[in-house]
Amino acid sequence: MYSPSNKTQKYLELAARIAEQSSYPQFKHGAVLVKGSSVINVSPNKNGFNKFGAKFRKKKWGQATLHAELGSVLNVEKKNTEGSTVYVVRVNRQGDIRLSKPCHMCESAMKHCGVKKVIYSTNSGFECYKL
């Protein structure tokens, strides 16, 4: 299990607040794209087709919707995504933090954009991995 620093905890709290803004009724995810100590972009997930995500999603898994991680890197110049970190959190209907490990589509898209690290929520804390 990953133990976030105070600074990292603030980005994760921001991701949780962004997740609350999601219009998707079943799963509410929020992502924060950070480079250095600057927040570059934020995004909740949305239920709607995403052309960029479709480049990375296997057809057998269905339509590519706008996942929070995708939204955080969309329309951001590569110079700002290269070497960055994405913080992603899922919040359930009761406001509890839940598992938000990026799917294959999001992981592939973030790698393509040069994101170097992902920190995500689990049912019992947080995990971190390098891309």
Side-chain angles (χ1 to χ4, degrees):
M1 182 172 308
Y2 175 76
S3 181
S5 68
N6 289 341
K7 189 179 207 180
T8 296
Q9 188 64 40
K10 290 183 188 294
Y11 296 134
L12 292 165
E13 289 168 4
L14 175 58
R17 289 195 307 271
I18 298 302
E20 293 288 348
Q21 297 174 14
S22 172
S23 59
Y24 193 70
Q26 293 152 319
F27 304 105
K28 294 184 176 285
H29 296 262
V32 177
L33 175 69
V34 175
K35 185 165 183 180
S37 58
S38 298
V39 173
I40 305 299
N41 201 14
V42 301
S43 179
N45 62 318
K46 296 176 184 170
N47 190 20
F49 177 72
N50 182 267
K51 188 175 180 179
F52 177 69
K55 294 177 183 181
F56 304 98
R57 187 160 181 95
K58 294 181 180 179
K59 291 185 191 224
K60 68 180 181 179
W61 291 339
Q63 192 176 55
T65 58
L66 183 63
H67 294 191
E69 303 94 309
L70 285 179
S72 74
V73 298
L74 275 176
N75 300 316
V76 177
E77 292 183 46
K78 194 160 186 174
K79 69 178 183 177
N80 291 321
T81 57
E82 287 181 327
S84 63
T85 300
V86 171
Y87 300 84
V88 60
V89 173
R90 176 178 151 209
V91 178
N92 70 9
R93 291 182 182 138
Q94 293 75 36
D96 301 321
I97 303 294
R98 292 290 177 243
L99 179 63
S100 192
K101 183 176 182 181
C103 68
H104 175 76
M105 173 184 71
C106 291
E107 189 173 290
S108 297
M110 288 186 292
K111 279 182 187 177
H112 174 78
C113 292
V115 173
K116 71 172 181 175
K117 186 166 57 170
V118 178
I119 299 174
Y120 64 93
S121 62
T122 69
N123 291 340
S124 59
F126 299 97
E127 291 293 335
C128 174
Y129 67 95
K130 293 185 182 199
L131 296 175

